[in-house]
């Protein structure tokens, strides 16, 4: 098969704009019965060994060697991982080669919106919800590891899978919701960075918003320096925030006994239920799932048939370790923010000094308790993480757009679009509603909660679909049970968060609440029950349903079903010959 223009375009793209490692894949000849499958469901690359190829996952008869590396005028945009066999033990040197994706993902847990949530938690609950903050980070480790797992096994990220596995109307709706969540988070990040500039230079918030929107283009130069340099810059930003708050935590001398009790004793103060649910909502973010499943594609694995399974298992193991370390690092930073402001608020209450628990007034609180210099330390940390998260948010949006629409978006175009979309509402907030950032944050958290529910169900469902991840990596009963339990818990908490913002002060509001819950559960049920396209060759019960039901599940008619071609050899997880009808 000759190289197509699509493949050549993919090979020219740098790391940040490159959604996965498909350019290194091998595409054997495809039988005529499968020529109708979408172009992007095949691995567009060089001719291979003549074996059959399915359309859902990357061909596994692949070695990600230097001969297929993306050419670039700067540095290498991939990290090559050598597989030395199943008998090799744990290696710190090899772990270092996997460090990076989890660190980029951890920034979303530290963005200005989360820092404001930490400050609010310190004011309303003190140390008492530190255990829940820890639990939220542990759940996040599990969920993010699943996102990384999907990307490592299949070579495709979550947005691409959702486009391939769900009908276009549903996928388009998920894209719109995901973009809305990303834009909402971006507004918080831009406002947070502008607040830091205001503290440092006394410039107006609106001016800081404009500067923050423009200087995001500097990220384009960073990404051109290669994946390791990019990861190093992001890691440096997170470390600056950590050092700033750890220094202030040492200076303020928190109550160690209360700190330990808050971490190990589960308790929820009266009137803090919404605050507790919000903590989980702030840590689990939908765009992080898209981002993590894509970032793992920067590691080039040995995908030869004899090494494929072992190399993938090793990569999943190291990515789990790297994700755990990165997100626990984020927890220690979030904890330090809560601890610092807990002590500061206690001091102010004891002295009778009035204060405001908000992101913008955090500098005033700290300067009152620790001295004038502390507000600059606070502002430097806020500036570092604000800049870093605006850049990673742009990257998340790029992967989401590319994945859902199968289109390459140039980095500068993505920055221009995201900055243009978020700049106007951010300026409005800066000029007219800066005193109501808490309300804005609450609305954004509700949006994040809704999108998370619609994102995590397809993610977990794909892990349990053998046609997508293969028989070697498909979830067993225990995995499915744990995933289902976690999903139900997250969906229930998010539903409570959505309902909690509806003021139930009239009969109309009760009707609105019921309507919201019905729509919410209906869409979730559709996402959970919809037969993924990769499994449509196994006749589902929906084929025997009335026409209106078949239409709901994008199955126009039973006669539209075409059985897959018979395989002349055993079918592997990535060459399944699966028929994927296109009803879009």
């Amino acid at each position: 098969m000759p190289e197509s223009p699509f493949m050549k375009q993919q090979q020219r793209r740098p790391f940040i704009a490159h959604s996965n490692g498909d350019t290194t894949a091998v595409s054997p000849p495809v039988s005529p019965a499968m020529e109708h499958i979408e172009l992007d469901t095949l691995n567009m690359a060089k001719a291979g060994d003549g074996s059959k190829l399915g359309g859902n996952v990357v061909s596994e008869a692949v070695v990600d060697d230097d001969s297929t590396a993306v050419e670039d005028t700067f540095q290498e945009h991939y990290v090559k991982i050598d597989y030395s066999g199943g008998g090799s033990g744990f290696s710190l040197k090899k772990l270092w080669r996997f460090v990076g994706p989890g660190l980029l993902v951890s920034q979303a847990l530290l963005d200005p919106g989360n820092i404001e949530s930490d400050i609010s938690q310190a004011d309303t609950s003190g140390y008492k919800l530190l255990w829940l903050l820890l639990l939220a980070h542990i759940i996040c480790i599990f969920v993010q590891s699943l996102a990384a797992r999907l990307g490592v096994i299949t070579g495709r990220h979550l947005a691409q899978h959702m486009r391939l596995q769900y009908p276009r109307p549903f996928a388009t709706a998920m894209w719109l919701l995901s973009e809305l969540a990303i834009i909402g988070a971006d507004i918080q990040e831009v406002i947070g960075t502008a607040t830091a500039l205001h503290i440092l230079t006394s410039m107006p918030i609106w001016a800081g918003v404009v500067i923050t929107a423009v200087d995001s283009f500097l990220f384009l130069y960073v990404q051109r320096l290669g994946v390791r340099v990019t990861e190093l810059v992001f890691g440096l930003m997170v470390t600056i925030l950590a050092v700033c708050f750890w220094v202030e935590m040492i200076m303020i001398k928190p109550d160690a006994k209360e700190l330990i009790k808050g971490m190990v004793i589960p308790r929820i103060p009266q009137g803090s239920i919404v605050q507790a649910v919000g903590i989980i909502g702030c840590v689990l973010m939908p765009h992080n799932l898209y981002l993590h499943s894509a970032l793992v594609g920067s590691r080039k694995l040995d995908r030869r048939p004899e090494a494929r399974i072992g190399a993938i298992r090793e990569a999943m193991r190291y990515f789990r370790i790297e994700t755990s370390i990165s997100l626990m690092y984020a927890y220690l930073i979030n904890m330090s923010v809560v601890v610092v402001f807990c002590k500061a608020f206690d001091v102010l209450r004891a002295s009778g000094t009035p204060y405001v628990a908000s992101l913008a007034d955090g500098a005033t609180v700290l300067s009152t308790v620790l001295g004038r210099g502390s507000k600059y330390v606070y502002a430097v940390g806020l500036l570092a993480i604000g800049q870093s998260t605006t850049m990673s948010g742009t990257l998340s949006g790029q992967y989401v757009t590319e994945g859902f629409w199968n289109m390459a978006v140039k980095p500068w175009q993505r920055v221009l679009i995201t900055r243009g979309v978020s700049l106007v509402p951010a300026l409005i907030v800066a000029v007219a509603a800066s005193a109501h950032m808490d309300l804005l944050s609450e609305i954004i958290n509700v949006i994040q909660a809704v999108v998370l529910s619609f994102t995590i169900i397809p993610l977990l469902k794909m892990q349990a679909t053998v046609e997508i991840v293969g028989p070697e990596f498909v979830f067993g009963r225990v995995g499915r049970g744990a995933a289902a339990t976690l999903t139900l818990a997250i969906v229930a908490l998010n539903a409570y968060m959505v309902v909690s913002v509806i003021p139930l002060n009239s009969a109309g509001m009760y009707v609105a609440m019921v309507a919201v819950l019905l729509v919410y559960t209906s869409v979730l049920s559709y996402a959970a029950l919809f037969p993924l396209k990769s499994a449509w060759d196994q006749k589902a019960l929906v084929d025997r349903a009335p026409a209106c039901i078949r239409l709901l599940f994008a199955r126009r008619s039973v006669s539209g079903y075409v059985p897959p071609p018979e395989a002349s050899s055993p079918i592997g997880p990535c060459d399944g010959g699966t028929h994927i009808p296109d009803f879009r």
Side-chain angles (χ1 to χ4, degrees):
M1 182 184 294
E3 292 186 339
S4 69
F6 174 77
M7 188 202 74
K8 294 178 180 178
Q9 179 187 18
Q10 290 286 83
Q11 289 179 328
R12 289 197 298 267
R13 291 161 61 193
F15 159 67
I16 295 300
H18 187 45
S19 300
N20 52 37
D22 288 356
T23 56
T24 62
V26 177
S27 180
V30 181
S31 61
M34 297 182 64
E35 290 180 353
H36 62 282
I37 299 178
E38 291 180 300
L39 179 64
D40 56 4
T41 63
L42 300 175
N43 301 308
M44 301 304 298
K46 301 175 184 178
D49 58 1
S51 61
K52 285 185 176 294
L53 176 66
N56 293 316
V57 282
V58 180
S59 171
E60 302 299 348
V62 174
V63 181
D64 290 339
D65 57 18
D66 292 335
S67 64
T68 57
V70 175
E71 296 294 332
D72 192 85
T73 56
F74 294 90
Q75 298 182 18
E76 183 179 86
H77 288 285
Y78 292 90
V79 178
K80 184 179 179 181
I81 306 296
D82 296 318
Y83 179 62
S84 54
S88 58
F90 176 78
S91 169
L92 284 175
K93 182 178 180 181
K94 176 160 283 190
L95 175 63
W96 174 248
R97 298 187 67 78
F98 285 93
V99 170
L103 196 60
L104 267 70
V105 167
S106 70
Q107 296 172 105
L109 283 65
L110 301 166
D111 68 359
N114 271 341
I115 293 178
E116 182 158 35
S117 176
D118 292 339
I119 295 173
S120 176
Q121 176 186 341
D123 180 44
T124 59
S125 307
Y127 301 95
K128 296 178 181 179
L129 291 180
L130 286 177
W131 68 272
L132 186 60
L133 187 63
L134 175 60
L135 179 62
H137 281 74
I138 293 174
I139 295 174
C140 188
I141 289 173
F142 178 72
V143 174
Q144 292 297 151
S145 296
L146 290 180
R149 183 180 188 268
L150 181 68
V152 170
I153 294 173
T154 66
R156 295 185 184 276
H157 57 77
L158 181 58
Q160 292 173 315
H161 279 293
M162 290 186 70
R163 171 177 54 82
L164 292 172
Q165 301 297 337
Y166 285 94
R168 179 168 293 174
F170 183 84
T172 301
M174 291 303 99
W175 170 73
L176 289 172
L177 285 173
S178 301
E179 289 289 355
L180 185 61
I182 292 172
I183 291 170
D186 197 41
I187 292 173
Q188 289 179 307
E189 292 153 5
V190 170
I191 292 291
T193 308
T195 300
L197 291 174
H198 172 71
I199 296 170
L200 292 171
T201 65
S202 299
M203 72 169 57
I205 295 292
W206 67 265
V209 168
V210 175
I211 292 175
T212 303
V214 172
D215 68 14
S216 296
F217 284 92
L218 294 175
F219 174 56
L220 303 182
Y221 293 97
V222 174
Q223 72 177 56
R224 292 288 294 173
L225 299 178
V227 56
R228 296 304 272 175
V229 175
T230 303
E231 292 169 349
L232 178 63
V233 170
F234 281 111
L236 179 62
M237 296 291 192
V238 175
T239 302
I240 290 174
L241 177 67
V243 170
C244 289
F245 275 102
W246 289 349
V247 166
E248 293 192 326
M249 185 170 64
I250 294 172
M251 292 172 59
I252 207 167
K253 299 178 182 178
D255 188 333
K257 182 179 178 181
E258 288 297 320
L259 171 60
I260 295 174
K261 285 175 59 179
M263 291 178 60
V264 300
I265 301 178
R267 48 185 173 165
I268 298 179
Q270 186 176 3
S272 299
I273 297 294
V274 176
Q275 176 80 37
V277 175
I279 289 174
I280 298 177
C282 288
V283 172
L284 295 172
M285 297 188 174
H287 56 272
N288 255 3
L289 302 180
Y290 296 112
L291 179 62
H292 206 171
S293 63
L295 290 176
V296 295
S298 63
R299 270 54 181 180
K300 295 168 57 180
L301 308 180
D302 186 348
R303 296 185 182 269
R304 293 173 299 174
E306 64 271 19
R308 178 183 64 85
I309 295 177
I312 290 176
R313 291 191 187 279
E314 181 184 68
M316 290 192 299
R317 174 192 177 195
Y318 279 106
F319 274 127
R320 280 196 302 268
I321 296 173
E322 188 259 349
T323 300
S324 301
I325 294 173
S326 299
L327 297 189
M328 290 311 297
Y329 184 35
Y331 168 72
L332 293 175
I333 300 174
N334 275 318
M335 182 196 70
S336 67
V337 177
V338 175
V339 167
V340 166
F341 280 96
C342 275
K343 182 65 175 182
F345 292 151
D346 287 343
V347 171
L348 293 177
R349 291 191 195 103
S351 63
T353 304
Y355 65 88
V356 178
S358 67
L359 187 72
D361 294 286
T364 303
V365 170
L366 293 178
S367 61
T368 303
V369 177
L370 295 176
R372 181 178 176 82
S374 62
K375 75 173 185 178
Y376 297 110
V377 176
Y378 169 81
V380 168
L382 185 61
L383 177 64
I385 200 63
Q387 281 285 265
S388 182
T389 51
T390 54
M391 296 174 185
S392 63
T394 299
L395 184 56
S396 299
Q398 180 180 335
Y399 283 128
V400 167
T401 300
E402 287 185 352
F404 275 105
W405 293 102
N406 192 32
M407 57 185 291
V409 181
K410 294 181 179 180
W412 69 267
Q413 293 174 337
R414 180 66 208 180
V415 173
L416 186 63
I417 293 171
T418 56
R419 288 299 158 264
V421 171
S422 64
L423 183 59
V424 174
L427 281 173
I428 293 174
V429 171
V431 175
S434 58
H436 303 285
M437 275 297 294
D438 54 343
L439 177 60
L440 176 66
S441 297
E442 187 176 9
I443 295 173
I444 292 174
N445 288 339
V446 169
I447 295 174
Q448 298 273 11
V450 171
V451 179
L452 176 64
S453 300
F454 298 147
T455 306
I456 196 171
I457 288 179
L459 172 64
L460 297 178
K461 189 174 180 179
M462 290 170 192
Q463 307 279 346
T465 303
V466 67
E467 291 83 4
I468 294 178
V469 297
E472 301 91 348
F473 304 107
V474 69
F475 272 169
R477 291 184 179 179
V478 176
R480 293 185 184 190
T485 302
L486 177 63
T487 301
L488 289 174
I490 292 175
V491 169
L493 288 172
N494 289 338
Y496 178 84
M497 179 184 294
V498 172
V499 172
S500 66
V501 301
I502 301 177
L504 301 178
N505 51 14
S506 66
M509 289 294 99
Y510 278 96
V511 172
M513 181 190 70
V514 172
V516 168
L517 285 178
L518 284 176
V519 173
Y520 183 73
T521 54
S522 298
V523 178
L524 287 180
S525 299
Y526 180 82
L529 298 176
F530 179 82
L532 299 180
K533 290 186 178 181
S534 61
W536 275 3
D537 60 322
Q538 304 173 6
K539 282 194 174 182
L541 293 176
V542 71
D543 284 328
R544 308 181 194 132
C548 58
I549 302 297
R550 292 199 305 271
L551 183 62
L552 177 65
F553 284 91
R555 190 75 71 87
R556 290 179 181 170
S557 66
V558 181
S559 61
Y561 170 81
V562 179
E566 294 294 331
S568 58
S569 60
I571 296 176
C574 295
D575 53 7
T578 303
H579 171 65
I580 307 179
D582 187 0
F583 292 109
R584 290 180 272 175

